[in-house]
Each structure stands twice: as structure tokens, then as C-alpha cells.
Amino acid sequence: MQTRYTSADQWADAKDGVIPAPYALEEGEQIIDQYLEPVIFHNVNGPDIGVTTCGVIVKDGLYFKDLDNSGELAPYKDWQLSPEQRAEDMVKHLRLDQQAGLVLNTLFNTPVVPTRAEATNAEGKLELGKIYKHHNPGEKPMPGPLPGMTVSIDDSHVLEKHIAAGVYRGDMRCEAGMVALYHNAGTQMLEYEACKGGVAIPYSLHTNPINIGYPDSLGIGAAVIGDGNTDMVYEMAQTDRKMMKAEGLNIMYGPQVDVTSDPRWPRTSGTYGERPDVTSDIAEALVKGYQDGDNGLNEGSVVLTIKHFPGDAPSENGFEPHVPIGQWRIYRTPGSMEKYHLPPFQRAFDHKVSSIMPDYSRIATDGRAVPQTYRGEITSTEEVPSAYSKELITDLARNKMGFDGYVNSDSGITTVQIYGVENLTEPERYAKAISAGTDVIGGNTDPENIVKAVEDGLLPKADLDRASYNRLLSLFRTKRVDNPYLDPDKADQARVDNFDGAKKKAYEANQKAVVLVKNHEKLLPLAKSQKVCIVTFKGVDSGFAQMAQAMGAGLGNTDEDAALRKTLTEAFEKKGYTVVATPEEADVLYLHVWPISNGLVFNQYAMPVIEMGEIVTDERERNKSQKKTGNKVTVVTLKDVEKIKELADAIHARGGKVVGTCVVCNPWLLDKLEPYCDALTIQYTVSAVALNNALNAQVDVISGDFAPTGKLSLTMVSDPAVIAITEQEIDGVVREICASPNDVPGYDKDQYIDPAILANVKGGSYAYCDADGNYYRSGFGLNY
């Protein structure tokens, strides 16, 4: 590797001309042979210019990045022009294969090693192959969770396929500086395109939301309802934004602002609950916090990809559309899309959110559903996933609702979620999605199919140009083109300053997320002199929880029960309670109950279950369809559930009391827990980083060290009858119809349920009614 210079200082007096690139490959070398430290040129009244294998144009003493090494200051290189002018001109300079790579994102991107120390060799130099995985032709790619995807992402995807973005999957396990280096390595490889007749495009890292110690989304919703404002959300977003920017996580695949409406739906855990007004307020605060204001993107912004437009929650009886078994979105209720599901998106659009992600599912237009309108006009009629729907993406989001960002599809739409486009070839699917208004396709690594779509006349070049423009515009608006390189030291420091500084506020937010739903005879706060026996109950982990959480599903982590009990024991003992080993020794029995749904997005073999215990149900064609196989399967959402009553009866017989906590990622039927508890709290948070905060916050409320303010973000379901499924023939096809509509949030379902059903339900409502007569409807919560 020829190193011409490692500092820009020697060029400080340059006024006009071209400064060569700091590094040049010699014969036989490859850009992946070593990590190149970027050289930064400082403009006094303009942006820094960061280069490795690009030269620098000097004009009137100003520095400009020579993004194609031509020596000519084309408009797209001129930072004095507007982002719109630069993006429009840059599209004209991109090769077709570069355009195809620009509108794709790889799905599983993580540094090879988690720390800089591990990536540094004995000579003190960083090794690129320990930062960004080198391609090994003899290595068999590891398949992803869905067909057509791979988790084996390596430098060939950047160098050969020209894919300019990926989704980071390391959460907080990797040093911030290491993530910054990964981002720099991707940029270094892409910059080398300028030496090969192409244009240097910055590398972009996306991430699903990463919990930094605050409550999980449902808990955020509970805290916000209690607070009556979103100040905490804005503050959290600002803190997270600073860390993300420093380490190169410039784009978030989130937030998930779907308003939950079917209680079985597995993605409920990633929402802020079922109140459109609350979710809208949160969406506004997140846009302002992450995008550093509400006037569109700027240099400090993290791009938000708000999802899943137009709202994925009205799933058919809880089946989830990552796989064909859950492909249908059912609107049984006139006006439900506009009333319940679109408001958070409209609020985000009003505050200039920068990106949206359409949902996988497709609307049903048969007798199961009624047409949905927005401001008096039909929203959509084509039974295809939303990323393929021009009616939804262009006509509704852009033209009617005023969205002005780019559209990023969810992952795998051309290979897995091909509902209604099965008969199209993959190039034809790309053509249909991009022409419908989708600008970026998530999770795919086959740019050759986009190239073929253009070359075969399937995809008008103008549509690909539009998609490329929209993608590039976000890069120019966030000022990432001229110097995309990051300082790993600053990334590490940003994590220290922000993550450590936020710990106290994150803990306070967890306290606010605790909801007290039952406090019979004012048992709480619990006198601290008492003896407490802790018993934990948990469901059966499907074995895919870590993968599902990496994909954005808010499932629990895999902590052992022993670790859970240890944390709870320490929390109670710190308050002055005596923790005893057996219920017979105890004054108070504390039950920590953590049910786990079978509704995993990658392994759907039965209708999701929200009853607690071992439930026998119909087996379905795994991941394929809702067709019953004729077999029965046992779903264990909570092991040993019968012991709850046994333990409670025994301690009550001795004059003791029972305090329970229920972990809520879906609205559970509480009939096997609540009747046996004298006091009951709700815990929404299961993310590894925040779990200890959540557990200790429960004990704060139980002990009286924090008076509860949280309110339910979900309505708990009263009885199996209100979600019972009956088979009905509709349009000549036997369909499974729920007793309550899939498209209406729990707090508002009563008006749509047969009164005869409600008449036979305790409390006469969809909302659970406890022994004290309290209804566990969203917005409810006790204090003391």
C-alpha cells in the first residue's frame, strides 16, 4: 500500500488544484488488505472532508471530496449547493450496478470481534479482517431465519455487490468504537469505487431500537400515560441519538408505532400500546429527539424509519406476516384504519419523519373486511403487501398524508412475503415494489435482479433514479457524504457520557412504568419487617428468542430462573425484608410470573395463545398457512401454573398475603393469577440491559419507596369468550372469525362484541374485571 501522507497539514496552503488520495493500492494489493486511517481536511466555514482512496479538489482555498477521482468539481461534490441539487446530480453519475446496491440493505452486520483490542495485532495496527468479515469462498453461507436471507455478511457484499448499507446486530455487546470502525471499514471499501470508475457512497449502518436501560416500549407507553407528557421520551431519544451518531448507527429501523388491536399479535411487545393519541404523542417526541428537531433531517439527525405503515396490528387472529401463515390484515370495522391506526403515522409525517417501513401483510378485500377510507377516499384495494402497493405508499402516504422521506421495505419482500405477487419473477417483484414508491429493499443481497429489471424493461430507469435520489437525499441532508468517517475514541466517549449519564433517568423511567392494578385492603406498601418467599414462574422459551429480539420482536431474554431469583432476592433484602426459602416460613409470598407467547414470528405452528398454562390447541401448517393438520399441540405459556393457586391457598390459610408481578408482552388472561393475589403489579420490560431496572422498580413500588404512577398501556382480556374463534363460511370459503374485531384496540372493543357474549363474561366487558371490581382497561392504574 502506497501511503502518500497521513495528515492534511502539508496541504494547508493549497488554493487550487487536486490533492491526490492519501493511499493508493500497489500491484497485487486489495482494498481489504489493511485498515486505512482516514485523513481529514478542515474547511474553516464548511464541512470536514474525510478521505482514504479519494482525492481532494481545492478551489479558492476550499476543500471538496473528489468522489469519483475525476478531478472535476461536479455539482454533487460541491457542498455549497443544496442537498437536493447534489442528490439529483449524483444519481446521474452512478453506474447501474451502484444504484442497485444503493437501494439494498444487508440484514446481519456485526464486527468480527467486539473490542478494538481484539482487532489490533502485535504491531499495534488494526486488522481489517477482524473488523469486517473477509469473504471466504470455501465457507458455506449460514442461512437466515427466512428463505433467501443469509446471516453470513462479509466484504464481498460491499466490494462485489456494491451494497451500501447493513443492519447492525451487536446491540450493546460491542464497544462503540468498534462499531465506528465497522462503519469506517464499510466506507473505506465503498470509497474505493472512486478508483474503479464509480462514485464513493458513504456506508450506512441501520439498527433496530437498542434498549439503553429505559423501559421496553409498552412500559414507555405506561409511563407516558401516567406522566401525562412525553418529556421522558424526548430526553431518552436525545441521549440515544448522540451515542448512535458517534458510532455510525445513522439509521433506526423504528420506532414501531403500530397501534395494537389484536391481543394475540406477537409484535405487540414492540408497540407503545393501544391508544392512538398516546402513540402519536410518543411518535412526535421520538421524531424530535432522534432527528434533532422537527424540521427534517440535519447534521445531528438519526434517520427514523417509522413502522409498519399503515399499521400492522389488525392481523388475522394474531398470526404474524413474516411468514405466509399471517399474511392477512383484517379490517372488519368501518373507519378503523383512519381512526385507530393512521394517527401516529400522520403525526410523524407532520413533524417530518425521514423514512417509513411498510408492513408485510396485505389487506383482505373479501367478506371478512370492509373498505377503509382516509378523508373520504378509499385507501387501497389491491391485495398485496404494502411495499408493493402504490395506493398505500404513493397515493396515501405521500400524496394524501404528506410524507416526504424515503420508503424502506421490511426484509425479504421479494423472496418470502410475496403474497399476491407469487406469479411474478424476482426482477418483476423489484420492479413492482420500486415503481409503487418503495425506495429501499431491506434484507436482500441480489442487486443483479434490479439490474436485470432495468435492462429487461421491467423497471423504468426513472423509477430507480427516484429511489436512488430519495436514498441519497437523506445522506446529503445529514451531511454524511463529504466526511463519513468516525473517530472511534469519540464514539467510546459518547457512550460513556450518555449511557452512564442516563442510568439514573432510565431507572426513574422504569419506576414510572410499573402499574399497580390490584391492592386489596391496601396491602401495599408492604411493611419492610416481613419475611418474603420468592417464587418465579415462566413460560417455555421457543429457542428462537434471541434471534427474534434481534429482528425487533420484544421477546424476553434467556436468563435462567436462578439469576432472576437472585436479582429479586437482592432487591427485597436491600429494602429490609427477610427473604426465606420456603412459603411455610413466609409472611408474604411474592410471585413473579413471566408468561411467554408461542406466537414467535419465525416459528408459527399454532394460533398464538394468551391463556396462562399448558394449552392444547390445533396444529397448523408450520409457517405456511392457517390450515389445520388434524393434530393437537400443547403450548406452554406458563409452566406449573396450577401451583399458583396451591401456594396462595396455603399461605392465605396461615394468614399470609400474596403479592404478584405479571410480565406483560401481550394482554394475558389473568384468571389463573389475579384471583389469588392480594396485590398485583405489571412489568412490561424484558430487554437484557433494562431487566434489572425493571425488577428493582417493581420492588420499589411494593415497598413504598416509589408511589406508583404508571397506567396500563394494554387492555387485559377478560375471558376466552371475547376472543373465541368460530368458523363461518364467507364468500364460499370457511373462515375463522374472532368474537371481537382484529382492528379495534381493546379499550374500544365492547361496542363491537355481541352483547350476548358480554352478558356471560365477568364484568360484562372485553376488559378484565378483578375481584375488587377494577377493570384492567388501558389507562387504568392504582396509586396509594
Side-chain angles (χ1 to χ4, degrees):
M1 184 76 66
Q2 180 185 1
T3 302
R4 299 188 176 109
Y5 55 91
T6 57
S7 170
D9 293 343
Q10 70 187 80
W11 307 100
D13 296 329
K15 298 299 180 185
D16 291 284
V18 177
I19 300 171
Y23 308 96
L25 269 63
E26 298 180 341
E27 187 174 350
E29 290 183 326
Q30 300 181 77
I31 193 64
I32 59 175
D33 287 342
Q34 68 182 74
Y35 176 78
L36 304 179
E37 290 288 349
V39 176
I40 310 300
F41 290 77
H42 299 285
N43 283 300
V44 175
N45 293 309
D48 287 347
I49 305 299
V51 291
T52 53
T53 55
C54 273
V56 177
I57 297 171
V58 186
K59 184 178 180 182
D60 300 328
L62 300 178
Y63 301 118
F64 302 86
K65 186 167 183 173
D66 194 1
L67 290 156
D68 65 353
N69 278 339
S70 68
E72 298 179 2
L73 185 59
Y76 74 95
K77 305 177 190 179
D78 189 349
W79 47 261
Q80 298 171 107
L81 300 179
S82 71
E84 291 78 10
Q85 290 171 300
R86 296 184 71 185
E88 183 178 5
D89 186 60
M90 191 173 191
V91 171
K92 299 173 184 176
H93 289 79
L94 294 176
R95 299 188 313 259
L96 178 57
D97 61 342
Q98 277 200 290
Q99 281 189 266
L102 176 64
V103 299
L104 296 181
N105 299 325
T106 52
L107 193 55
F108 290 92
N109 293 261
T110 307
V112 177
V113 296
T115 69
R116 281 195 278 169
E118 293 172 272
T120 304
N121 63 23
E123 288 75 43
K125 293 185 178 180
L126 290 164
E127 295 187 26
L128 189 63
K130 291 185 178 179
I131 301 169
Y132 209 112
K133 188 177 187 299
H134 282 338
H135 177 62
N136 179 358
E139 183 178 307
K140 187 176 180 180
M142 184 182 300
L146 295 173
M149 296 184 188
T150 177
V151 299
S152 301
I153 302 302
D154 57 44
D155 52 25
S156 69
H157 292 93
V158 181
L159 292 170
E160 297 173 19
K161 293 178 178 290
H162 315 295
I163 298 176
V167 183
Y168 169 71
R169 299 292 179 185
D171 294 328
M172 301 289 281
R173 299 188 300 275
C174 295
E175 288 178 349
M178 195 63 198
V179 182
L181 284 176
Y182 188 91
H183 170 275
N184 285 358
T187 296
Q188 169 184 319
M189 290 186 280
L190 285 172
E191 185 167 318
Y192 191 61
E193 287 295 329
C195 302
K196 301 188 298 177
V199 174
I201 300 171
Y203 188 74
S204 297
L205 274 181
H206 304 61
T207 179
N208 283 105
I210 298 173
N211 195 310
I212 59 170
Y214 280 78
D216 288 351
S217 298
L218 289 171
I220 292 288
V224 164
I225 298 173
D227 272 353
N229 63 69
T230 57
D231 295 349
M232 172 194 72
V233 178
Y234 175 77
E235 192 170 49
M236 175 193 72
Q238 280 277 16
T239 298
D240 201 19
R241 174 183 64 82
K242 295 170 187 175
M243 289 192 290
M244 290 178 67
K245 288 292 292 184
E247 61 190 279
L249 299 176
N250 290 290
I251 305 169
M252 185 193 287
Y253 268 174
Q256 185 185 336
V257 299
D258 309 86
V259 173
T260 190
S261 55
D262 188 282
R264 303 177 178 92
W265 186 50
R267 300 299 294 274
T268 290
S269 55
T271 73
Y272 298 97
E274 62 180 46
R275 294 278 177 174
D277 55 340
V278 174
T279 300
S280 296
D281 289 345
I282 291 172
E284 177 182 338
L286 290 170
V287 171
K288 291 179 178 178
Y290 279 107
Q291 293 192 181
D292 198 26
D294 61 352
N295 195 32
L297 294 175
N298 58 63
E299 188 172 4
S301 299
V302 164
V303 172
L304 287 191
T305 311
I306 205 161
K307 60 186 185 182
H308 304 86
F309 185 82
D312 206 21
S315 65
E316 186 175 27
N317 302 325
F319 289 107
E320 210 284 330
H322 269 80
V323 285
I325 193 172
Q327 64 187 275
W328 294 108
R329 198 166 69 250
I330 308 294
Y331 298 103
R332 281 172 48 191
T333 312
S336 63
M337 180 192 283
E338 183 172 17
K339 180 178 181 180
Y340 302 116
H341 299 285
L342 290 179
F345 293 99
Q346 184 64 73
R347 184 78 67 86
F349 297 169
D350 292 344
H351 292 276
K352 295 183 169 40
V353 73
S354 46
S355 178
I356 57 171
M357 179 179 288
D359 54 32
Y360 285 137
S361 55
R362 57 173 172 162
I363 61 164
T365 62
D366 54 33
R368 289 173 291 176
V370 296
Q372 296 297 304
T373 60
Y374 188 75
R375 296 177 181 172
E377 297 182 20
I378 296 291
T379 58
S380 55
T381 58
E382 189 180 11
E383 291 186 332
V384 291
S386 297
Y388 288 102
S389 173
K390 181 179 181 295
E391 293 173 305
L392 289 173
I393 298 304
T394 299
D395 299 341
L396 178 60
R398 288 199 186 280
N399 298 340
K400 293 188 176 72
M401 298 178 70
F403 171 65
D404 186 29
Y406 71 86
V407 179
N408 193 137
S409 86
D410 215 329
S411 304
I413 65 162
T414 64
T415 55
V416 183
Q417 300 86 15
I418 54 173
Y419 322 133
V421 295
E422 295 92 343
N423 294 330
L424 300 182
T425 65
E426 288 192 44
E428 288 172 333
R429 292 169 193 159
Y430 273 114
K432 181 173 177 60
I434 293 172
S435 292
T438 295
D439 302 305
V440 179
I441 313 295
N444 286 13
T445 57
D446 57 341
E448 62 274 9
N449 279 319
I450 299 177
V451 172
K452 182 174 176 55
V454 174
E455 291 179 341
D456 289 355
L458 305 170
L459 173 61
K461 181 62 161 51
D463 289 343
L464 181 60
D465 287 348
R466 180 220 73 232
S468 302
Y469 170 83
N470 285 338
R471 176 75 151 188
L472 289 172
L473 188 57
S474 70
L475 300 180
F476 281 111
R477 283 175 171 170
T478 53
K479 302 187 185 303
R480 296 188 51 235
V481 176
D482 301 303
N483 176 31
Y485 291 103
L486 301 167
D487 183 332
D489 289 333
K490 290 182 179 179
D492 283 334
Q493 190 60 49
R495 184 177 289 186
V496 170
D497 293 344
N498 290 281
F499 184 56
D500 290 350
K503 285 182 178 177
K504 182 174 184 294
K505 290 176 180 177
Y507 188 79
E508 291 171 353
N510 277 273
Q511 291 175 313
K512 292 179 178 182
V514 179
V515 184
L516 176 62
V517 290
K518 186 176 184 180
N519 194 18
H520 186 65
E521 295 182 345
K522 299 183 178 179
L523 175 63
L524 303 186
L526 192 67
K528 295 179 180 179
S529 58
Q530 303 200 58
K531 297 177 182 178
V532 178
C533 176
I534 299 169
V535 181
T536 60
F537 292 85
K538 202 171 182 181
V540 172
D541 193 325
S542 63
F544 289 83
Q546 185 174 357
M547 177 71 75
Q549 196 156 17
M551 293 289 286
L555 301 180
N557 61 15
T558 56
D559 278 358
E560 298 295 331
D561 285 349
L564 185 66
R565 288 194 297 272
K566 182 176 183 291
T567 300
L568 289 167
T569 296
E570 292 171 352
F572 274 100
E573 288 179 340
K574 280 190 297 186
K575 302 294 184 187
Y577 298 101
T578 300
V579 176
V580 296
T582 65
E584 289 75 20
E585 305 170 73
D587 304 310
V588 175
L589 178 67
Y590 176 67
L591 305 176
H592 188 273
V593 178
W594 188 339
I596 295 178
S597 172
N598 65 303
L600 190 66
V601 295
F602 309 118
N603 189 28
Q604 297 180 61
Y605 59 91
M607 188 177 293
V609 172
I610 60 170
E611 293 92 341
M612 292 183 183
E614 296 186 11
I615 312 299
V616 177
T617 187
D618 292 307
E619 183 184 54
R620 313 287 174 134
E621 289 187 327
R622 189 177 300 264
N623 289 342
K624 294 181 180 179
S625 78
Q626 297 175 23
K627 183 179 178 181
K628 298 174 184 178
T629 66
N631 300 323
K632 297 289 185 179
V633 291
T634 300
V635 172
V636 183
T637 59
L638 197 67
K639 291 181 287 188
D640 302 322
V641 68
E642 68 282 350
K643 291 184 179 179
I644 292 176
K645 181 179 186 304
E646 294 173 12
L647 290 168
D649 286 348
I651 200 162
H652 282 144
R654 294 190 292 101
K657 301 295 183 182
V658 179
V659 177
T661 292
C662 185
V663 177
V664 171
C665 294
N666 279 84
W668 294 102
L669 281 158
L670 298 174
D671 57 313
K672 296 176 182 175
L673 173 63
E674 176 275 323
Y676 310 110
C677 295
D678 300 285
L680 181 63
T681 63
I682 300 298
Q683 174 188 324
Y684 291 112
T685 296
V686 298
S687 294
V689 173
L691 182 59
N692 281 1
N693 283 352
L695 296 171
N696 279 275
Q698 297 293 328
V699 181
D700 287 343
V701 168
I702 290 166
S703 67
D705 286 351
F706 183 84
T709 60
K711 308 297 179 186
L712 289 173
S713 51
L714 297 175
T715 297
M716 299 295 106
V717 179
S718 62
D719 190 276
V722 300
I723 57 168
I725 301 297
T726 57
E727 292 186 346
Q728 300 177 27
E729 185 174 314
I730 297 175
D731 300 336
V733 179
V734 176
R735 303 287 192 180
E736 292 183 301
I737 305 299
C738 186
S740 52
N742 306 116
D743 57 334
V744 175
Y747 73 89
D748 220 13
K749 283 188 190 285
D750 281 359
Q751 61 182 306
Y752 301 105
I753 300 175
D754 184 346
I757 293 175
L758 295 181
N760 292 308
V761 169
K762 181 184 176 184
S765 174
Y766 174 89
Y768 185 86
C769 182
D770 72 10
D772 290 345
N774 294 311
Y775 286 87
Y776 294 1
R777 189 173 285 112
S778 63
F780 170 73
L782 300 171
N783 50 35
Y784 52 69

